[in-house]
């Protein structure tokens, strides 16, 4: 594996459009569920163990060579909110454009052809990792970290939270993230042999419901 | 050996109770539905009650408390082509701690053939303090089968911290998974379950799944139906109402309202 390629893919400045999404934090701030660093941490912890785990396992499975079409259907079944399914596909499409420029590959081309409107972002992330010569664990780490770094960065803007405090939240979550990635990788690696039902399906009801509320707002700072 | 053999009233607990209840609904050829199989076991008793029209009605009656730690309950219902079955329960199911320290399991397996309809509307599951239960619900539907399924979980009795509760709900239509959702709550669940991304301190959480083939061409419109409840079209001929509420009564109210609107 190439550690440098991992840094390129995981860089927050990688042009894949993630900065426009708050991972549900914008809705949670407006509803008063996130008011500062402590509640941001609780929010990120909930995300990490629900959609973060599912995304990391999907990415690991795709990186391990599982069928991306089946993974995409599994992602749909694990994402009841149509607003979140739409956001995941838009993010997948944006990542695809950046990935094909960075690491041209037949597998990326085939996936782009299969899903012209975008596949779920973690699936694209996993196939991108393969194209970059990275492994299932690398893909899972990228997905897991993104699941919490997005909301943390967004809350700095939404609440004028001290960026040092937001970074402290992410650092405190790191040991849990390591453990969660191990679970995600084990599940993801099992998919090529056992099928997508072995993937976790952990859900955060308020993330799904909140995404639908957020999608109905006339004016938003973030796309989701 | 029948159910209940392992739990003795004198408190000599070995490994918990295993019990399976089975229901099969069949069109009776006269526009009604017969029940060729209606078998309760041990703590899972089944009663046929008066149905309306073509529909057969069954009530699941808890004949003992539980599930307790170590118990393994299963309910299997099969609706054959064109039959209509409605299943409810007489009271809430309360997961309680048992003398066996292991987790209890409750597995529900539902299948509905083409043209069949299943209304699966049990009372809530209450996770009492100290209990440990994992519930799985798997639904297999043929392409033109219809389903209304309600699942409600109340975390703790009044003023009580909940036990550990894990659940997974999977719904397949014509072999394709349209919904797969897992929730873990209570002591020992991954951190954050009580926080602002998952339940935000609310103590009742529920889902209502409605499957109708007409949703393929006429999906429901996504909308918010309460403080923390939404109607959502799934990727397939199905709709989900997902709700989080302060208590079981408020949860039922919002799910009932959403179901009435879905018609």
């Amino acid at each position: 594996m190439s550690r440098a390629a991992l840094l390129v893919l995981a860089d927050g400045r990688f042009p894949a459009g993630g900065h426009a999404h708050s991972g549900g934090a914008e809705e949670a701030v407006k509803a008063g569920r996130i008011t500062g660093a402590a509640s941001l941490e609780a929010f990120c912890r909930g995300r990490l163990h629900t959609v973060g785990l599912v995304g990391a396992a999907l990415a690991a499975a795709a990186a391990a060579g599982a069928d991306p079409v089946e993974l995409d259907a599994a992602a749909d079944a694990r994402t009841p909110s149509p607003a979140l399914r739409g956001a995941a596909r838009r993010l997948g499409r944006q990542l695809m454009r950046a990935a094909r420029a960075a690491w041209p590959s037949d597998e990326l081309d085939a996936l782009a052809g299969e899903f012209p409107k975008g596949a779920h972002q973690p699936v694209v992330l996993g196939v991108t990792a393969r194209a970059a010569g990275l492994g299932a664990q690398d893909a899972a780490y990228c997905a897991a970290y993104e699941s919490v770094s997005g909301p943390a960065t967004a809350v700095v803007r939404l609440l004028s939270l001290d960026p040092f405090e937001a970074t402290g939240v992410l650092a405190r979550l790191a040991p849990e993230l390591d453990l969660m990635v191990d679970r995600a990788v084990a599940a993801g690696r099992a998919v090529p042999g056992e099928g997508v039902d072995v993937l976790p399906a952990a859900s955060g009801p308020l993330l799904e419901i909140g995404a639908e509320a957020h999608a109905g707002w006339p004016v938003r700072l973030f796309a989701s | 050996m029948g159910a209940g053999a392992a739990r003795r009233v004198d408190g000599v607990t070995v490994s918990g109770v295993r019990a399976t209840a089975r229901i099969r609904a069949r069109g009776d050829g006269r526009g009604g539905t017969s029940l060729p199989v209606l078998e309760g076991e041990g703590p899972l008793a089944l009663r046929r009650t008066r149905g309306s029209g073509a529909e057969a009605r069954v009530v699941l009656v808890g004949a003992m408390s539980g599930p307790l730690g170590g118990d393994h309950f299963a309910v299997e219902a099969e609706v054959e082509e064109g039959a209509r079955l409605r299943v409810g329960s007489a009271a809430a199911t309360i997961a309680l701690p048992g003398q066996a320290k292991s987790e209890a399991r409750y597995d529900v397996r539902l299948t509905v053939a083409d043209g069949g309809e299943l209304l699966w509307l049990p009372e809530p599951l209450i996770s009492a303090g100290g209990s440990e239960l994992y519930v799985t619900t798997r639904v297999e539907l043929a392409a033109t089968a219809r389903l209304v399924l309600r699942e409600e979980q109340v975390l703790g009795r009044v003023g009580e911290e909940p036990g550990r509760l894990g659940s997974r709900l999977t719904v397949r239509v014509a072999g394709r998974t349209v919904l797969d959702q897992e929730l873990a709550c209570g002591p020992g669940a991954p951190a954050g379950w009580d926080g602002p991304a998952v339940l935000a301190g609310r103590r009742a959480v529920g889902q209502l799944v409605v499957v109708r083939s007409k949703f393929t061409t006429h999906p429901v419109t996504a909308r918010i139906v309460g403080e923390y409840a939404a109607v959502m079209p799934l990727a397939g001929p199905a709709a989900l109402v997902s709700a989080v509420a302060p208590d079981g009564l408020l949860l039922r109210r919002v799910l009932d309202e959403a179901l009435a609107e879905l018609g």
Side-chain angles (χ1 to χ4, degrees):
Chain A
M1 75 142 219
S2 157
R3 186 166 290 176
L6 177 59
L7 290 174
V8 174
L9 180 57
D11 191 335
R13 286 159 293 191
F14 190 77
H19 62 276
H21 294 259
S22 79
E26 184 170 27
E27 185 276 334
V29 164
K30 187 175 180 203
R33 304 200 306 279
I34 298 177
T35 55
S39 45
L40 170 64
E41 186 167 335
F43 180 85
C44 287
R45 191 164 266 125
R47 255 186 85 75
L48 186 67
H49 292 294
T50 56
V51 294
L53 172 67
V54 172
L58 285 164
D67 178 359
V69 176
E70 282 183 29
L71 293 175
D72 190 80
D76 261 352
R78 286 159 177 74
T79 317
S81 155
L84 289 184
R85 290 197 299 275
R89 291 190 185 285
R90 284 192 297 279
L91 281 166
R93 191 173 170 201
Q94 286 174 278
L95 173 59
M96 176 62 82
R97 289 180 59 195
R100 287 170 90 184
W103 297 286
S105 96
D106 292 346
E107 287 184 356
L108 283 171
D109 292 347
L111 184 59
E114 189 82 44
F115 295 97
K117 292 181 176 171
H120 278 260
Q121 193 267 1
V123 179
V124 181
L125 181 61
V127 176
T128 301
R130 276 172 78 81
L134 298 167
Q137 191 186 39
D138 301 318
Y141 263 106
C142 286
Y145 183 67
E146 276 176 12
S147 78
V148 291
S149 66
T153 311
V155 169
V156 170
R157 288 174 64 188
L158 290 162
L159 282 180
S160 302
L161 184 73
D162 181 348
F164 291 167
E165 284 201 69
T167 302
V169 166
L170 294 174
R172 281 193 294 281
L173 288 169
E176 274 175 67
L177 195 146
D178 285 327
L179 292 174
M180 184 276 263
V181 163
D182 287 346
R183 278 187 65 199
V185 170
R189 285 204 172 119
V191 171
E194 297 172 47
V196 295
D197 288 350
V198 300
L199 289 168
S203 63
L206 289 181
L207 290 174
E208 302 284 335
I209 296 164
E212 290 305 313
H214 185 262
W217 295 2
V219 180
R220 309 181 288 253
L221 200 53
F222 290 92
S224 75
Chain B
M1 186 179 288
R7 184 192 298 158
R8 306 239 308 257
V9 287
D10 60 3
V12 182
T13 302
V14 184
S15 62
V17 177
R18 303 182 75 84
T20 301
R22 291 184 180 84
I23 308 167
R24 178 173 297 198
R26 179 174 292 166
D28 64 6
R30 303 186 306 275
T33 296
S34 66
L35 298 172
V37 177
L38 188 68
E39 296 170 2
E41 185 179 22
L44 299 173
L46 299 172
R47 301 278 178 270
R48 181 167 189 168
T49 62
R50 189 192 301 264
S52 64
E55 168 187 284
R57 280 193 192 199
V58 171
V59 175
L60 190 57
V61 184
M64 294 165 68
S65 62
L68 312 185
D71 289 354
H72 189 164
F73 293 178
V75 180
E76 298 169 8
E78 192 180 338
V79 178
E80 296 183 2
E81 214 163 294
R84 296 177 62 180
L85 174 66
R86 180 189 183 102
V87 180
S89 61
T93 299
I94 306 180
L96 293 162
Q99 291 185 334
K101 292 292 173 223
S102 55
E103 168 184 89
R105 283 191 64 107
Y106 203 132
D107 296 315
V108 176
R109 299 289 175 264
L110 309 172
T111 56
V112 186
D114 275 313
E117 178 178 71
L118 174 63
L119 308 180
W120 186 262
L121 301 166
E123 294 306 302
L125 170 64
I126 301 173
S127 171
S131 67
E132 229 181 292
L133 175 65
Y134 192 75
V135 185
T136 66
T137 304
R138 264 193 234 151
V139 190
E140 293 275 353
L141 303 172
T144 62
R146 294 183 304 278
L147 173 77
V148 176
L149 178 146
R150 182 177 66 211
E151 183 183 87
E152 296 165 311
Q153 298 171 349
V154 177
L155 306 178
R157 292 168 292 194
V158 176
E160 173 188 62
E161 282 305 302
R164 167 108 193 236
L165 178 62
S167 60
R168 187 160 187 166
L169 169 61
T170 311
V171 180
R172 280 184 226 274
V173 181
R176 180 166 168 243
T177 305
V178 298
L179 180 69
D180 198 345
Q181 292 275 275
E182 234 176 333
L183 190 65
C185 310
W193 68 268
D194 204 16
V198 186
L199 298 179
R202 301 320 196 260
R203 282 292 179 256
V205 55
Q207 310 189 83
L208 187 76
V209 188
V210 180
V211 180
R212 286 170 195 159
S213 53
K214 71 169 185 185
F215 289 161
T216 308
T217 48
H218 298 87
V220 300
T221 305
R223 61 188 181 274
I224 294 294
V225 287
E227 189 201 5
Y228 283 131
V231 177
M232 300 179 281
L234 299 177
L240 176 73
V241 185
S242 179
V244 174
D247 61 48
L249 285 175
L250 292 165
L251 177 68
R252 174 63 61 86
R253 190 178 301 163
V254 72
L255 292 180
D256 278 351
E257 283 172 8
L259 181 59
E261 277 186 44
L262 285 171

